[in-house]
Amino acid sequence: MLSDDLAPNEVLPNFAEHDEDTKNHAIETPIVPQEYVQRYLAQQLRDRARGPETLRIIDVGCGRGDTVAWLCAQGWDAYGIDVSPKYIQLGREYLARQGADPARLQLLNGDFTYPFPDNMFDVVLSDQVIEHVADLESFASEVARISAPGASGLHIFPARWHPIEAHLRSPFVHWLPKGPLRRAAVTAALRAGLAAPYFREFSFRERAEIFCRFSEEETFYRSPRSATATMQRHGMRCDARLASRDKIAFRLPTAPRAALPLLGWLYRQAFSVTLLTHKP
């Protein structure tokens, strides 16, 4: 446990404010979505036999809007939303410099509703977002609300049992229940050097507190089954099994087809979950 002689909350930065996070810096060239996301978008165009300019897409948890900027450059009618005013401002500045509408990036409302009308979007994306959403019911409700009938969604997030917590870069700490046990594990990992090299300008106690607060207050790891059930309660059809098999086949094209179900299960349990959604 850490002692009580730490600096007040407002003195310590949020974990996401570390300098290595590109979202804290102005956009020079937008970061291109991962190849699997690009493949998914290309498939959407083929399945719908429509051009990108006719499909309205939103990136939920867009950060500074790299994906939105890239989508706009590809001709999509793209929008984004995020909880961080700083990220949204950086993205709007880039869009303005490119002659695009900065209002394509919107800030999440204080009540965690999205400032978009019902049935607005044909495609909904979220990448490395669901693990930061405390109220997944609200997330699912809003995604369903803004999705048009027939809309598709792609949601990628870390697996609950991934051996390394991707943000802290510490092994197994997120497997533990939040509270004294997890705080002790995060602190021990930091002391052993098994953690991300951020905030070294702070004392060890302050640095450990930054890491612990982030782990307790801003990470919410869920099983694929739990995330699927939540989305289904809000009227969405969901698939994580076929999506994970497809991702394995994409990444390991030489893998035997008979092994894909097992490899897909291992992938979504211990590495990454890919959840496909569809609004009837």
Side-chain angles (χ1 to χ4, degrees), residues 32-280:
V32 175
Q34 60 173 284
E35 190 176 357
Y36 185 81
V37 174
Q38 295 183 50
R39 178 173 174 262
Y40 169 82
L41 295 172
Q43 188 64 51
Q44 289 294 306
L45 297 178
R46 288 193 294 270
D47 290 347
R48 297 168 184 263
R50 293 165 60 181
E53 71 283 352
T54 70
L55 292 175
R56 190 167 287 162
I57 184 171
I58 184 170
D59 183 14
V60 178
C62 66
R64 61 182 189 170
D66 290 83
T67 295
V68 174
W70 180 84
L71 286 166
C72 288
Q74 303 301 310
W76 290 78
D77 186 11
Y79 296 78
I81 187 169
D82 200 273
V83 69
S84 168
K86 177 180 179 180
Y87 296 166
I88 293 298
Q89 182 60 33
L90 289 171
R92 285 177 172 175
E93 290 171 358
Y94 177 81
L95 291 179
R97 292 196 300 271
Q98 300 303 307
D101 184 3
R104 287 183 175 274
L105 298 180
Q106 290 290 320
L107 189 65
L108 193 69
N109 290 328
D111 59 357
F112 295 102
T113 58
Y114 301 169
F116 299 106
D118 296 356
N119 305 320
M120 179 172 176
F121 295 101
D122 302 296
V123 181
V124 179
L125 301 178
S126 74
D127 191 358
Q128 314 307 311
V129 171
I130 283 180
E131 78 273 19
H132 299 302
V133 176
D135 185 356
L136 195 60
E137 293 287 349
S138 177
F139 174 92
S141 175
E142 284 299 280
V143 165
R145 182 185 66 78
I146 65 172
S147 296
S152 299
L154 174 68
H155 305 278
I156 302 172
F157 54 98
R160 181 179 183 180
W161 301 114
H162 196 295
I164 304 296
E165 206 288 336
H167 309 87
L168 306 182
R169 302 185 194 174
S170 298
F172 310 118
V173 295
H174 56 302
W175 291 17
L176 301 172
K178 294 181 178 182
L181 186 59
R182 184 184 291 195
R183 292 178 69 88
V186 170
T187 303
L190 196 63
R191 191 179 298 279
L194 299 175
Y198 309 147
F199 304 110
R200 287 181 169 170
E201 67 275 22
F202 288 85
S203 71
F204 177 80
R205 291 182 182 276
E206 291 172 334
R207 192 171 171 225
E209 183 67 12
I210 293 169
F211 279 58
C212 287
R213 286 179 188 167
F214 176 80
S215 182
E216 289 190 321
E217 299 172 7
E218 298 187 48
T219 64
F220 306 89
Y221 289 97
R222 301 173 173 91
S223 67
R225 179 177 295 182
S226 173
T228 296
T230 302
M231 299 296 282
Q232 288 176 333
R233 281 196 293 274
H234 294 273
M236 308 294 284
R237 295 177 183 169
C238 302
D239 172 71
R241 295 182 180 181
L242 292 177
S244 60
R245 295 178 198 175
D246 178 66
K247 201 165 190 179
I248 287 291
F250 172 68
R251 300 225 170 159
L252 300 174
T254 60
R257 292 185 61 84
L260 291 181
L262 176 59
L263 292 174
W265 180 85
L266 289 171
Y267 190 77
R268 66 179 177 271
Q269 297 299 326
F271 293 95
S272 177
V273 181
T274 300
L275 181 63
L276 300 175
T277 61
H278 176 77
K279 182 176 178 178

